[in-house]
Amino acid sequence: TRKRKSKNIHMGKRRPANVQPPSKTQFMKILLVVEPGIDGVFKHVEGLSHFLMEQHHQMHLAYSSVRGSDALNTLVKKIENQNGKTLDLQVSNAPCLGDFRAFFKLWRLIQKIKPDAIHGHSSKAGALVRMLPFVGVTVPLFYTPHAYYGMTPRKGMMAPIYNLIEKIFGKIGKTFNISRDEALFAQKKLGVPSSRITISHNPVNSDIFLP
């Protein structure tokens, strides 16, 4: 018995008096920034928000009501009911002068809530989020494009503009691409360094398809 007891102490099963127990999990303050508030992009943000709130993280949301939905309004109320801050950026998906006003409002919100991480979704929110280092924001930044605009078969005049914007900001923050094809487009067409890319497939709750 003495040998076993001595062995247990030696193997670390009994903590020395001067060693403190590990600290509890630190919950984060997370700011999600999204445009649009409809369709697949918003569905992803909605699910991500609910998951993070279930993990007891403090959620904040910057969104745009220009392309909104009832589901967006419901999410805004849910976050506010849990003492999270929300902000209507009132921007569309196309580049416009109103983006500068939205950026200033976003910067003021960040100064108020001091988030631990900021995650932008889709091209407009991604551009606003990745402009933040230019005004001194040092918070870790993440970006999910949800398919780059330039990947659409309908090229048109806007594709080169969006591609240029993505090239400029591609070296800022961490990018979550949702497929290998999207990651290859980011690297080869937009020049996003592979070190800044993580492939994170969109999850699908298959239970809803069960009869």
Side-chain angles (χ1 to χ4, degrees):
T1 304
R2 289 182 179 178
K3 287 184 178 180
R4 287 178 183 172
K5 187 174 182 180
S6 174
K7 186 177 180 180
N8 286 344
I9 295 174
H10 177 71
M11 295 299 290
K13 292 185 178 181
R14 182 175 296 179
R15 185 180 294 113
N18 61 339
V19 176
Q20 297 297 321
S23 60
K24 295 181 180 180
T25 301
Q26 296 296 311
F27 299 116
M28 300 176 66
K29 292 185 291 184
I30 302 171
L31 171 61
L32 298 185
V33 186
V34 61
E35 191 294 318
I38 55 173
D39 301 332
V41 174
F42 174 71
K43 194 68 177 175
H44 177 93
V45 172
E46 182 183 38
L48 178 60
S49 299
H50 289 160
F51 172 78
L52 292 172
M53 283 188 282
E54 288 170 1
Q55 305 305 308
H56 306 292
H57 296 294
Q58 177 65 70
M59 296 304 302
H60 307 281
L61 179 68
Y63 64 97
S64 175
S65 60
V66 174
R67 291 199 293 168
S69 63
D70 291 340
L72 171 62
N73 297 334
T74 299
L75 179 61
V76 168
K77 290 179 181 178
K78 182 176 180 64
I79 290 176
E80 290 176 346
N81 288 339
Q82 298 195 11
N83 299 318
K85 301 294 184 183
T86 63
L87 171 66
D88 188 353
L89 298 171
Q90 297 179 315
V91 292
S92 65
N93 60 330
C96 62
L97 292 176
D99 295 343
F100 294 100
R101 180 180 67 251
F103 177 75
F104 179 68
K105 290 165 63 177
L106 179 63
W107 176 79
R108 286 198 304 177
L109 174 65
I110 292 167
Q111 300 305 304
K112 182 182 298 184
I113 65 177
K114 301 186 184 306
D116 298 304
I118 303 173
H119 190 175
H121 293 265
S122 202
S123 54
K124 174 58 68 70
L128 293 174
V129 164
R130 291 178 294 171
M131 287 169 59
L132 291 169
F134 295 105
V135 292
V137 175
T138 58
V139 175
L141 305 177
F142 303 91
Y143 170 50
T144 302
H146 298 281
Y148 294 100
Y149 187 93
M151 297 177 72
T152 177
R154 300 171 297 167
K155 299 299 182 183
M157 296 177 57
M158 294 301 295
I161 297 175
Y162 277 91
N163 286 346
L164 177 61
I165 294 172
E166 295 289 357
K167 285 181 179 180
I168 293 172
F169 295 120
K171 296 178 176 62
I172 298 175
K174 188 79 173 181
T175 296
F176 293 132
N177 289 130
I178 59 174
S179 69
R180 178 171 172 77
D181 288 345
E182 188 183 67
L184 287 174
F185 183 87
Q187 293 178 58
K188 296 183 180 298
K189 185 70 176 181
L190 305 177
V192 180
S194 59
S195 60
R196 293 189 175 272
I197 292 175
T198 295
I199 297 178
S200 179
H201 299 287
N202 276 344
V204 174
N205 179 10
S206 59
D207 290 343
I208 64 175
F209 299 106
L210 294 174

